[in-house]
């Protein structure tokens, strides 16, 4: 069964304290790994697409990386406005995105 | 703003009723997806339409149906509503040849 697992479920960091979020998945034909940010009550906001092992993408304080088995979202010197739930999704080649349950990130001023 | 528009933003209805949720995809996107998000579950895929044709179905209940019209907007119809159908319903669209989906702001459905 196609599965996406994210860890940790929740993470509290002090402002400026860097960390990483993990996304792992059942290995199958790689058709894309996606990261989204979701604020409470809002729709997921697209952040990154990664297709190949070794690929990296950056946006402001966020950097996404990809290996054959997992992806990491690195957050460098986060600010309170980075607080959100971060969702990872895979395309397993079946006309849909399969989402993990997310990591709820809280940045404390 | 993702460019995907969903209406209404909020909907409160009674059990047993029927509602219709509407979605306008981003300009030029032919694919439309519907997802359900409940408090105790993540984003659950319901159905995918491409240029008016159904392409994939997820765990969509028989009480739910969808369609995509010639102008590419889509509607999700929910009937015989139950308390457990209360959730956020999201529509997303994808550009041609790409897998990333761009989400609307959702419709919050409350069944009382």
């Amino acid at each position: 069964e196609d599965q996406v697992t994210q860890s940790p479920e929740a993470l509290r960091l002090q402002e400026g304290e860097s960390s990483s979020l993990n996304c792992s998945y059942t290995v199958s034909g790689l058709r894309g790994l996606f990261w989204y940010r979701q604020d409470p009550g809002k729709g997921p906001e697209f952040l990154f697409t990664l297709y190949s092992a070794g690929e990296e993408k950056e946006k402001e304080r966020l950097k996404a990386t990809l290996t054959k088995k997992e992806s990491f979202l690195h957050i460098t010197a986060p600010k309170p406005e980075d607080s959100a739930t971060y969702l990872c999704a895979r395309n397993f080649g079946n006309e849909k995105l399969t989402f993990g349950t997310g990591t709820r990130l809280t940045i404390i001023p | 703003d993702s460019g995907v528009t969903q209406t209404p933003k909020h909907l409160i209805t009674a059990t047993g009723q029927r509602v219709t949720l509407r979605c306008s995809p981003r300009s030029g996107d032919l694919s439309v997806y519907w997802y359900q998000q409940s408090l105790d579950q993540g984003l659950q895929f319901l159905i995918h339409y491409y240029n008016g044709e159904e392409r994939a179905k997820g765990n969509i209940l028989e009480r739910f149906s969808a369609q995509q019209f010639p102008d590419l907007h889509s509607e999700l119809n929910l009937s015989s509503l139950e308390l457990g159908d209360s959730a956020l319903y999201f529509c997303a669209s994808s550009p041609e040849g790409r897998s990333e989906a761009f989400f609307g702001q959702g419709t919050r459905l409350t069944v009382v």
Side-chain angles (χ1 to χ4, degrees), chain A residues 11-76:
Chain A
L11 183 61
R12 290 171 63 89
L13 299 172
Q14 292 292 133
E15 184 173 359
E17 180 185 1
S18 301
S19 188
S20 298
L21 315 182
N22 178 263
C23 171
S24 61
Y25 36 82
T26 52
V27 178
S28 63
L30 185 63
R31 294 284 296 274
L33 185 290
F34 308 88
W35 282 98
Y36 287 83
R37 170 193 169 124
Q38 186 175 25
D39 292 300
K42 306 286 188 184
E45 175 191 347
F46 172 73
L47 293 174
F48 304 111
T49 303
L50 301 166
Y51 283 104
S52 306
E55 190 175 355
E56 298 183 354
K57 294 268 179 81
E58 282 190 68
K59 180 180 179 179
E60 295 181 357
R61 294 175 293 282
L62 301 176
K63 182 168 80 171
T65 62
L66 184 66
T67 71
K68 285 186 179 178
K69 295 182 183 179
E70 58 190 346
S71 177
F72 292 93
L73 184 66
H74 306 279
I75 301 175
T76 302

Side-chain angles (χ1 to χ4, degrees), chain B residues 42-71:
Chain B
L43 278 161
Q44 300 294 315
F45 169 72
L46 295 178
I47 199 162
H48 170 210
Y49 275 84
Y50 176 82
N51 201 22
E53 293 191 4
E54 182 186 303
R55 291 288 287 263
K57 259 186 176 179
N59 297 323
I60 187 167
L61 300 172
E62 285 191 12
R63 301 183 285 108
F64 296 1
S65 65
Q67 56 186 136
Q68 187 180 25
F69 295 87
D71 67 353

